[in-house]
Amino acid sequence: MASDISTSLAEGRPGTSAAKSAQREAQTAEFAAAVLKGLARRPRSIPSRFLYDAVGSALFEEITELKEYYPTRTETALLKDRGAEIAQAIGGVDVLVEFGSGSSRKTSLLIEALDGLDSYIPIDVSESFLAEAAKRLAAQHAGLTVKPLVGDFTRMTTLAGAPRGQKLGFFSGSTIGNLTHEEATGFLVNAAQLLGRDSTFLLGVDLKKNLDILIPAYDDDDGVTASFSLNLLARINRELDGDFDTTQFAHRAVYNEAKGRVEIYLESLTEQTVHVRGRSFTFARDERIHTENSHKYSVPEFQALALSAGWQPVEAWTDEDQLFSLHLLRLA
Ligand code: SAH
Ligand code: AVI
């Protein structure tokens, strides 16, 4: 049974500094265990959620501004242009629950389109970034109760402190694509439990497309995506007493046609030995650490996945260039 490691960041809750430091220790222990296990296995891999510390979240925000990175601007335009239609299809909502909320910038568009929303619960692993975004959202939307939850959305078993009422889930940016199909199905089944009967779920999902557009989105000319990937090694150095030389690893983005996903790796540029928490790891030249997957779905593929997890597809919206989709699902 997965543990529930979510914690409320909401003001006024009993978050003593002792409790906070115990929580930080638990987060570092979880990071250490994942890194030591991931570097020891073959092929080596580290779960992508660890890309997001405060530095990683800020770098992701820079990615969203890149000319090559079409998902954010396309999803934003869909929410702007079709917001009223989407809100009408959703119907009445009291509580908006966002998974992997990041900066919550696109969320403001959804909140404005929805009528009569009482509460917003953003969920994210990146604690300081989440706290800042929650403060900004509360300031922008007078009368809206904002209750951030820090934790891993794949392992949350309850929405601590969530008010009763009709719930809408929001999972933007195609972050569901960072999960394998099996993980995505498990996530959707769990989200159904968290959101409850009669809830609706709006998800942003990146579409399959030509590699001339796809690969540059994950390997931009300015090297911002490379910095985002390499920050994982820098984070290991900062938090786990690591000695990675980040100049001796390169960011690689490749499309796996069979799995319909972009795979991201950090590739060793030389034979080298690295230490983390006193353990040694020797890399051959060209050996890789798998750090991220970004699955792409056609509209029918994603609808079939949602159905298999117990969600009924209601409607899907796409942009005219067929780059990105927004899916509305409803629980029977
Ligand atoms: N939804 C925003 C941010 C996308 S970036 C947008 O569309 O712009 C992905 C976000 O999900 C990051 O903020 C990251 O910290 C968060 N995240 C990734 N894996 C997570 C997990 N397992 N649990 C909770 N948050 C996670
Ligand atoms: C957050 N997630 C959906 C991004 C993506 O497109 O898969 C993460 C990312 N990684 C590199 N660039 C963007």
Side-chain angles (χ1 to χ4, degrees):
M1 180 79 180
S3 62
D4 188 346
I5 57 158
S6 61
T7 311
S8 176
L9 278 177
E11 269 176 53
R13 291 184 70 86
T16 63
S17 64
K20 277 197 178 132
S21 87
Q23 188 202 334
R24 294 240 158 79
E25 258 176 50
Q27 282 165 349
T28 306
E30 199 212 347
F31 182 38
V35 168
L36 295 175
K37 192 170 158 201
L39 291 179
R41 74 163 77 93
R42 296 292 186 282
R44 302 184 205 254
S45 67
I46 298 174
S48 62
R49 69 179 181 279
F50 295 111
L51 289 162
Y52 300 92
D53 62 349
V55 179
S57 291
L59 284 166
F60 178 74
E61 282 308 295
E62 274 188 54
I63 289 176
T64 66
E65 306 277 330
L66 293 170
K67 63 180 186 312
E68 295 93 338
Y69 197 72
Y70 59 85
T72 309
R73 62 173 174 272
T74 312
E75 189 179 32
T76 303
L78 273 174
L79 284 167
K80 272 190 187 148
D81 299 346
R82 316 294 286 273
E85 199 185 315
I86 292 169
Q88 200 185 8
I90 291 168
V93 180
D94 305 305
V95 185
L96 174 64
V97 179
E98 182 169 8
F99 300 91
S101 46
S103 69
S104 295
R105 282 190 210 286
K106 281 172 286 190
T107 320
S108 277
L109 296 169
L110 184 60
I111 292 172
E112 275 158 23
L114 294 168
D115 204 21
L117 188 70
D118 290 331
S119 309
Y120 171 50
I121 304 185
I123 302 172
D124 210 288
V125 276
S126 192
E127 187 171 352
S128 55
F129 208 76
L130 173 66
E132 278 305 310
K135 249 193 254 165
R136 203 173 45 241
L137 255 279
Q140 274 169 6
H141 302 276
L144 184 72
T145 303
V146 180
K147 290 190 165 195
L149 277 183
V150 59
D152 179 347
F153 53 55
T154 62
R155 291 186 297 157
M156 237 168 226
T157 53
T158 53
L159 292 175
R164 287 174 180 280
Q166 182 72 36
K167 295 195 176 56
L168 166 68
F170 185 39
F171 200 13
S172 68
S174 201
T175 303
I176 195 157
N178 298 134
L179 307 176
T180 63
H181 293 172
E182 199 184 350
E183 290 164 345
T185 308
F187 167 81
L188 287 170
V189 168
N190 190 45
Q193 292 285 334
L194 290 175
L195 296 170
R197 279 173 67 104
D198 299 328
S199 53
T200 45
F201 203 173
L202 184 67
L203 297 101
V205 181
D206 199 12
L207 293 168
K208 287 197 160 125
K209 59 183 58 67
N210 198 303
L211 296 193
D212 295 348
I213 299 174
L214 198 49
I215 293 301
Y218 291 88
D219 198 3
D220 58 285
D221 285 346
D222 294 340
V224 179
T225 313
S227 300
F228 171 72
S229 289
L230 287 162
N231 174 58
L232 180 60
L233 304 184
R235 180 179 181 190
I236 295 172
N237 290 348
R238 285 192 293 274
E239 293 184 27
L240 306 179
D241 198 20
D243 63 0
F244 276 100
D245 179 349
T246 55
T247 66
Q248 294 306 309
F249 284 83
H251 164 80
R252 304 277 183 238
V254 291
Y255 191 67
N256 182 330
E257 188 80 48
K259 295 194 166 163
R261 68 190 192 193
V262 176
E263 296 177 347
I264 301 205
Y265 298 92
L266 288 167
E267 185 175 301
S268 178
L269 295 175
T270 180
E271 187 182 320
Q272 54 185 320
T273 297
V274 172
H275 305 92
V276 179
R277 287 250 165 125
R279 296 240 319 253
S280 303
F281 300 95
T282 298
F283 288 84
R285 189 173 164 193
D286 299 337
E287 197 177 342
R288 291 169 163 189
I289 310 170
H290 188 178
T291 56
E292 216 184 354
N293 292 313
S294 197
H295 293 78
K296 310 301 166 189
Y297 292 91
S298 68
V299 166
E301 278 171 347
F302 188 75
Q303 289 179 332
L305 183 96
L307 263 175
S308 77
W311 288 90
Q312 188 68 43
V314 176
E315 201 155 348
W317 295 267
T318 59
D319 59 296
E320 62 179 13
D321 297 325
Q322 299 301 305
L323 294 175
F324 202 86
S325 59
L326 273 174
H327 287 257
L328 180 63
L329 314 176
R330 192 177 294 282
L331 258 190

